[in-house]
Amino acid sequence: MPVGYAWMPLLINGRVNVGDQAIAVATNNPSGYLASEQLGLGKGSSGPDIKWNDGGKPLFKFNLRLVSTVYTKDQHLHNFFQHCQKIEETGSLAADMDTSNKLKTLHAVESGTLIQFLPTVLNQLFRLLPLTNSEDVALNAVRVLVHIVCEASEVEKIDMLRSYSKYVFVTIPTVSSKSRTIHEELAKHLTSMLRPQSADFLVINKFLLHSWFFFEILVKSMSQHLLETGKIKSPRNERFPSNYQYRIQTLLQHIVPHITQKYKELPEATKNANHSLAIFIKKCFTFMDRGFAFKLINMYIENFNPGDSRVLQEYKFEFLRLVCFHEHYIPLNLPLMKRGHIKSYKDMRHDYTLSEEFRKQHFLVGLLLQAVKSALNEVKVIRAQAISVLRDLLAKHEYDDRYSTKTQQGRIASLYLPFITIILENKHRLNIGDGQSSPGAMNGDVSGEMIGDRSSIAPSLVSQRSTLSLQQSETIQTLQNMSGSGSVKLPRDSAVLAMIAGTAPQASSLSISDPKPILNGSNSSLASSKASSESVDKDPKDTPKSNGKHDRSYSMGGQQGQSSPIGMPRYDKLDQKEVKDLLICFMYIVKNLPEEVLLGWFNNSSEYDIIDFFNILEMCIQQFKYSSKKIIHKLSMIADSQKAHTLPTRKGPVDMFSHSRAASDIKTKRNTQLLESSGALDNVLLEGNFACEVGMIALDVIALYSANFKEQLQFREGDNSLMRKVFDLHLLFLQTNQSESILKHAFAALRSFINKFAKILFRGNATMCANLCYELLRCGNSRLPSTRSEACALLYLLMRSNYEFNKKKSFTRVHLQVIVSVSQLISDVVGLSTLRFQESLSIINNYANSDKGMQRTCFPLEVKELTKKIRTVLMATAQMKEHQNDPEMLVDLQYSLAKSYSSTPELRKTWLDSMAKIHIKNGNLSEAAHCYIHGVALVAEYLKRRGAYPQGCRVFKNISTNVEADESEGQEDFGMQDVQYTNESLIEMLEEVAEALEKAERYELLGEVYKLIIPVYEERRDYQKLAQAYSILHSAYTKIVQVSLSGKRLLGKFFRVALYGQNFFEEEDSKTYIYKEPKVTGLTELCQRLQCLYTEKFGKHTVRLIKDSNKVNMKDLDSRFAYIQVTYVEPYFDERELEDRQTDFERNNNVRRFMFETPFTKDPKKAHGSVDEQYKRRTILTTSHSFPYVKKRIMVVYHQDMELTPIQVAIDQMQKKVVEIHEVVSMVTPDMKKLQLKLQGSVGVQVNAGPLAFAEAFLDKSKLRNYARKFTNSLKDIYRQFVQVCGIALELNGTLIMTEQMEYQESLKENFRNMVSKLEDIFDEKLFSDEDGKSISLDSTNRTSMSLFNVISSPTSQA
């Protein structure tokens, strides 16, 4: 049963009545009770009669809580909704003041309440914009919108904002053409809000941070407007009124300055605004006039200038990335052509460079390429971002199914033709580092571990395009962002784009709107021939006079307006990551370019540009060469710890190698899920396949150029820069690591080259033929059977082509160059497998024997003779390997080979150069220099026989006495006719000799060398070379003076080495050599080296040293051991030679005779005895050649023994003392220590017995009769000199000593006087006085002592 009835109104003044309530309870419920209303003041109530409990007291108390999406308890929001409803009901425009107040109060609403009513609030605010005429109302509405969006973002309700813009927002339908739209008003009032006059910086900052929302509303409103009005079918330029375009333009002009000026204080806000603006402009291409969208982009770019900060540069490239990733980017860049008009390369003359015309025709591409070109002169971070934008864009083109045909990809690649110019201009900055190949890195040496199934490389090389996964994550994330921002979504996993990824003074940027842009790149000659001059010879003779194409002075870009570069170009090197990406972009463009377009580029480029183009191609081959399975696995473990992304299926048929340029076609079938993991096998396949693709592209380009520009390549019989570069590119495939698949195509390309350019190979300069023979022979030593087979086939073709070119008489050039190349190969000692090489020679012989076309000629016999010669040369390989740790024996073997080729200059010089390398490696610089001397003398003698250099090798006799004997005996054979030495090459080799002599510190010989060089410089009037020559001579002569004074130059020591032991040394048994050792090598050091060397050869405990210099009795030696006798020797000269050899250098240059002495007595049991019993055997050794020579040990061909009697021994000993003291006192700068040592040994008390002992033994009156008068007289003369020079030394010492040494000086004088007194008693004559000491002449002393040398060296006689 109800106890009563109660009711209350929910709305009071339009607002929900909530909160604590207390109302009266009625006992009845009459009809019309809701109309009852209390009148107040005790008057009761109106309406039906209602009976109330307890006199109408508020007995029923309760609380109301509002749960509604329609009504709000917030007073400010309620007032706003009520005001908006009133406006809709009345249909009148909002009152200015009242509406503005209501809008301003919304700032006080709590964020939770705003989120609860977000769609409704936003709808009311957007609808308010076209309904008001008040600028203040509209501006406040926009500010409230900014506030609400910011509040929603702060409470992480961005998804609600996105949902609203996508699903909820609906623009107001337009009733008439004069009706205002939301997008028009929003653009207008956003601009007003951004104006400096009414700027609220807090609001502006919030807007920049969340501008994406407003740009999306603009786009949504625009699209709905077009659909509702049917204007979507109208032409783009008629869809929107001009005033709206003006408002959008004005909005951009106001928002961009905020971005460029506030990036430091508001990095996140400006970054978001930049990103949102780019997305908006990209979407404008869909709805608005595209010319207007281009104008917006141009206006944006105008706000960025050269030298902007890194952040602004990043903003610019992020903007370009987003805009260029438009789904219709390609049509936007390709203007419509006239019907029926096919665009050939002649019609594309503006497309080859980044000219003004190109940027007009292809706006976005031109803008991007200009930005990239400018960015390459910026710092590394900016360069990397610019390159990545271009790289990702090209990747997008490659994997876009809409443009999958070859023709379509070719047209796209043509858009990027100016990029070739850009990369050529920066060629000097492309540093590929360890990408450089080494000829010693034989491709066959690692190919054995390359790829399991090599046959699968070719068909799949195009499908797996990658540079590993160094930048996969970066590229994938970038492209995912693009897709999420409205760009075209590819029907495949975006990971495929990572497969093309690899990972300063300022320069100017481009203002597209300027009709005369500052930088148009048009006068760069496709890459500035001036800059290109660094890499090619500037000889004008290299250019054909009869053909205007490829003229060095001609530049296609010169026709394209003017250029005025701002800032200096950078010369710092790009890092590996940047180089890799640039080269990938380059290869994509070159691969897809139509043949006629690429030929057009070649036709319109200078020769310098073409050579630079091929240089870039060479860098690509080196950069992406295959590294071997082990290396890739190691790098993959370091660089990629995550699983690799997978490659989706690529649709479309595969037709590999169906056309000459289709070999590099990337449109093969993609293997689904190719990379399941980042394992080594996957990386190996990726690296191998990418290297194959790069190689195929390069081979196609080379073949295309060779086929269409044969005349230019044949100019001057191929002796031009273009031909050299093209040929070097062919050889590069044999010099770098390549797969078997690529090598097969490389060999095929070389076969084609031989057939096309036989005249150049067999009549022109022999260098190309020589290099080709060397590389083919090296490949003939490959571990891969297929490579060896291909190399042998090509080498046989080369022989046969040469034979046919010479009208089937001989193949002289190839014959000679093959022998030279074999010599060069085995001169390196290691790396040549005799077994594999012998197998290759057998293959060549089999080709010759089975060639039916040559059976009736002498060609097979000549091939057989050639292979026989090669085998003969190979016999030396085993010996060289056996003695590779014995530098003397190794050089001797090579010396023998060089001597056997004295009739063939090229071969002999090859071995001389090889010997020089070994000498340099071992620090024997003098011997290396003489190898070069003999080489240049060989060339001089060759030129003499050709009548070009009449003096021949005789001119070198003052440099080395060995030259004329070695190099003038050669006789000509068939090889001489193909040697192409000239006077120019002679001068170059002489310069090399001069450099080697300077390094060897043999400065005195430089004058003789430059006597041969300077007349040639004078004849040429080459004053720069003359200045350089005289500068070198000045420096050399200055050093001679310095080392003469200091005595610090050490030209080597000489040792006699005798080898004994038939079982060990074989042919060298009982032979004696003179070894020349560098610097201050001691006897002990040489003995230890030789003992270690021969112990390693013959085994432990088999080598014994003979530690004396006596004659060896072979009967006393044990045949079980190898014996080595080492003796220190000195150069030996007679009196006449000593007069000519006055300097230390002269006594160490062109030396053939050496001397060592052995003391003995008549008693065979003892070697030493008293003074009158001591004999000495002097052994003089004569070598076959003079030192220094091309080898550091020379055999002794003659030896002479001289026995000195005791008195002759005394004469010799005293003579040495005189000479030693004389040298000390003759020094320009006296050396007090040396002087006192000599005095101590001559006049000191403890050694007085030495000089006096000889006098007492041989000059005492009682003993004079026992010796020949000439000996006693000579000894007396020497004593007189000895006394005189000691007196001079004492006087000199007295001038040098300090006060504390005066006592020591007096002691020396006292000893000297005592010695002189005793000698005077023996001689019975006055020997010395103080006056004599002052008047003595050192020169006369020297002359007297020199005259006594003959007495010492006279035959043995005794009275």
Side-chain angles (χ1 to χ4, degrees), residues 1019-1250:
E1019 184 180 353
R1020 295 178 185 172
R1021 294 173 176 79
D1022 192 340
Y1023 299 108
Q1024 183 176 358
K1025 288 281 189 179
L1026 282 170
Q1028 184 179 357
Y1030 284 114
S1031 175
I1032 293 173
L1033 288 175
H1034 174 269
S1035 175
Y1037 292 141
T1038 302
K1039 289 177 181 177
I1040 292 173
V1041 174
Q1042 293 173 354
V1043 296
S1044 297
L1045 295 177
S1046 65
K1048 293 182 179 180
R1049 179 169 57 166
L1050 301 170
L1051 296 173
K1053 299 292 183 180
F1054 298 96
F1055 300 90
R1056 165 185 171 266
V1057 178
L1059 307 174
Y1060 301 99
Q1062 175 65 36
N1063 296 335
F1064 298 95
F1065 295 108
E1066 298 177 352
E1067 296 178 357
E1068 291 189 311
D1069 177 40
S1070 301
K1071 289 185 178 179
T1072 303
Y1073 296 92
I1074 298 297
Y1075 278 59
K1076 177 182 174 295
E1077 294 297 312
K1079 300 297 181 181
V1080 288
T1081 304
L1083 180 64
T1084 304
E1085 183 180 350
L1086 178 61
C1087 290
Q1088 185 178 2
R1089 181 174 74 83
L1090 292 177
Q1091 187 170 21
C1092 292
L1093 172 65
Y1094 289 113
T1095 299
E1096 185 178 351
K1097 274 189 178 183
F1098 305 141
K1100 291 184 178 180
H1101 312 298
T1102 59
V1103 180
R1104 293 188 175 182
L1105 289 175
I1106 301 175
K1107 299 183 179 180
D1108 56 51
S1109 59
N1110 294 327
K1111 288 184 179 181
V1112 175
N1113 188 351
M1114 300 295 294
K1115 295 180 181 179
D1116 298 336
L1117 302 180
D1118 191 338
S1119 61
R1120 296 176 302 171
F1121 300 100
Y1123 293 91
I1124 305 173
Q1125 186 181 36
V1126 184
T1127 309
Y1128 174 75
V1129 297
E1130 293 179 341
Y1132 173 80
F1133 309 102
D1134 56 27
E1135 181 180 1
R1136 187 184 62 183
E1137 285 181 303
L1138 278 174
E1139 291 178 356
D1140 295 334
R1141 296 176 182 264
Q1142 298 183 10
T1143 66
D1144 182 56
F1145 170 78
E1146 291 169 343
R1147 291 193 290 271
N1148 282 274
N1149 190 58
N1150 288 331
V1151 182
R1152 284 192 66 185
R1153 293 197 295 173
F1154 301 87
M1155 174 193 72
F1156 68 94
E1157 296 173 339
T1158 307
F1160 70 97
T1161 65
K1162 293 299 183 178
D1163 184 356
K1165 294 183 179 180
K1166 61 178 183 179
H1168 299 276
S1170 62
V1171 173
D1172 56 349
E1173 295 176 345
Q1174 185 66 59
Y1175 288 78
K1176 186 161 60 175
R1177 182 182 298 108
R1178 174 172 292 162
T1179 303
I1180 301 174
L1181 306 174
T1182 305
T1183 56
S1184 60
H1185 294 82
S1186 301
F1187 282 99
Y1189 189 41
V1190 295
K1191 52 182 185 174
K1192 61 176 292 188
R1193 74 170 184 178
I1194 304 176
M1195 185 183 296
V1196 174
V1197 294
Y1198 177 74
H1199 73 273
Q1200 176 187 2
D1201 288 333
M1202 298 172 55
E1203 288 189 2
L1204 302 183
T1205 62
I1207 190 172
Q1208 287 177 310
V1209 173
I1211 294 172
D1212 184 52
Q1213 293 294 329
M1214 292 304 300
Q1215 174 67 22
K1216 286 182 179 179
K1217 284 187 176 292
V1218 171
V1219 172
E1220 288 174 356
I1221 299 173
H1222 174 264
E1223 287 180 350
V1224 174
V1225 298
S1226 300
M1227 295 178 66
V1228 177
T1229 303
D1231 189 330
M1232 188 172 67
K1233 288 185 179 180
K1234 286 184 178 181
L1235 178 63
Q1236 291 180 357
L1237 284 174
K1238 297 301 179 184
L1239 285 171
Q1240 188 69 24
S1242 300
V1243 300
V1245 175
Q1246 65 272 27
V1247 293
N1248 269 348

Side-chain angles (χ1 to χ4, degrees), residues 970-989:
Q971 296 179 357
E972 294 190 15
D973 71 351
F974 74 96
M976 290 288 288
Q977 57 187 299
D978 197 55
V979 179
Q980 297 184 353
Y981 292 122
T982 63
N983 286 340
E984 182 65 30
S985 58
L986 178 68
I987 295 302
E988 291 176 358
M989 294 172 67

Side-chain angles (χ1 to χ4, degrees), residues 605-648:
S605 300
S606 70
E607 183 179 340
Y608 290 117
D609 295 337
I610 296 172
I611 291 175
D612 288 340
F613 177 91
F614 286 136
N615 284 332
I616 302 298
L617 207 59
E618 178 181 352
M619 291 182 188
C620 293
I621 298 172
Q622 292 175 340
Q623 176 69 38
F624 302 110
K625 67 179 181 181
Y626 183 71
S627 299
S628 85
K629 184 176 181 178
K630 291 182 180 179
I631 295 176
I632 296 174
H633 176 66
K634 183 177 180 180
L635 292 177
S636 66
M637 297 297 291
I638 297 174
D640 189 11
S641 60
Q642 299 179 350
K643 289 186 175 181
H645 296 280
T646 58
L647 269 176

